[in-house]
Amino acid sequence: TIPRWRNCIGTVSFVIDKDGRLTNIEVLQSPDRSLSEEAIRVLNKSPKWSPGKQRNQAVRVKYTLPVDFRVQN
């Protein structure tokens, strides 16, 4: 079935480890469970991110980002 919403915003949170891997991925806000699962799947498949730097050392960084969900037929 086609959902009654087409475009909506959710929020995800995750930690970028020292080696660039994403960990502790969680969906903070989402209109539907299936969209939450898809956001987690996509983030898990993403290439390594750049870790934070503090005094020229790689450090873990927590991010909270909006996610723009667009449902297409």
Side-chain angles (χ1 to χ4, degrees), residues 12-31:
V12 296
S13 175
F14 53 87
V15 174
I16 303 172
D17 270 342
K18 293 178 184 181
D19 64 359
R21 290 180 301 116
L22 298 186
T23 61
N24 300 6
I25 299 170
E26 62 180 316
V27 177
L28 304 176
Q29 181 182 11
S30 174

Side-chain angles (χ1 to χ4, degrees), residues 20-44:
R21 290 180 301 116
L22 298 186
T23 61
N24 300 6
I25 299 170
E26 62 180 316
V27 177
L28 304 176
Q29 181 182 11
S30 174
D32 188 73
R33 183 176 174 201
S34 63
L35 294 177
S36 297
E37 292 169 355
E38 182 64 8
I40 291 170
R41 185 191 73 80
V42 169
L43 286 171
N44 278 323

Side-chain angles (χ1 to χ4, degrees), residues 55-66:
R55 296 187 184 114
N56 220 19
Q57 297 286 326
V59 294
R60 299 177 70 200
V61 178
K62 183 172 184 175
Y63 272 83
T64 301
L65 298 175

